[in-house]
Amino acid sequence: MTVCNKIRGVTKSHEWVADLFSLLAVVMLFGTIWAGVEYQRPLLGWMSRNVILHGSSVMALIVLDVFLIILFLNIGSSRFSDSPGESCFGTFRGRRRGGASLGKAFQSWLHHMENVNKKHR
């Protein structure tokens, strides 16, 4: 059993866990925005003392924050797929076939977006 199927099973049987992770994602998103606005001046002053070390630390924290927000959103939304045979890591056709040009990738994405809800009706 894959990790995705284990997470899906837990979030389906305990829906409050999925709701908690969705709430955590929203809290982290708005908390990050608030902290960025509130502590902008002290953070920029701290970063100006050693741009390379402190700047890279701030960038690493931003990347970690974005990763956690996306992770929490994925765990929170994993309860919505009802079919047991559905793949956990589905992508649109342009990614699977490795679209050679930007136009072909855009066309595949557009086709995917037009048909995304048809299988759920």
Side-chain angles (χ1 to χ4, degrees):
M1 180 181 260
T2 64
V3 174
C4 177
N5 287 332
K6 288 180 184 177
I7 291 173
R8 186 184 296 168
V10 168
T11 55
K12 278 186 179 180
S13 60
H14 305 287
E15 198 160 319
W16 65 272
V17 173
D19 291 338
L20 177 69
F21 278 103
S22 297
L23 180 66
L24 279 173
V26 171
V27 167
M28 280 191 69
L29 174 67
F30 288 113
T32 302
I33 293 171
W34 173 81
V37 170
E38 186 71 23
Y39 297 108
Q40 178 184 5
R41 285 191 190 265
L43 185 64
L44 289 175
W46 178 72
M47 283 175 52
S48 67
R49 290 187 206 132
N50 189 349
V51 176
I52 294 175
L53 181 64
H54 296 161
S56 61
S57 299
V58 169
M59 291 305 291
L61 285 175
I62 290 172
V63 168
L64 178 67
D65 185 54
V66 169
F67 174 76
L68 286 175
I69 290 171
I70 291 172
L71 177 73
F72 290 161
L73 284 174
N74 284 332
I75 292 173
S77 67
S78 67
R79 67 183 180 270
F80 292 118
S81 60
D82 290 329
S83 61
E86 185 178 334
S87 172
C88 287
F89 303 106
T91 61
F92 63 93
R93 194 173 79 186
R95 292 279 306 270
R96 284 195 310 256
R97 298 199 180 158
S101 68
L102 186 59
K104 190 168 186 163
F106 178 74
Q107 182 183 11
S108 295
W109 174 79
L110 185 63
H111 178 72
H112 167 75
M113 293 309 290
E114 289 173 348
N115 296 317
V116 76
N117 286 326
K118 287 184 180 176
K119 67 179 181 179
H120 298 294
R121 291 182 189 164

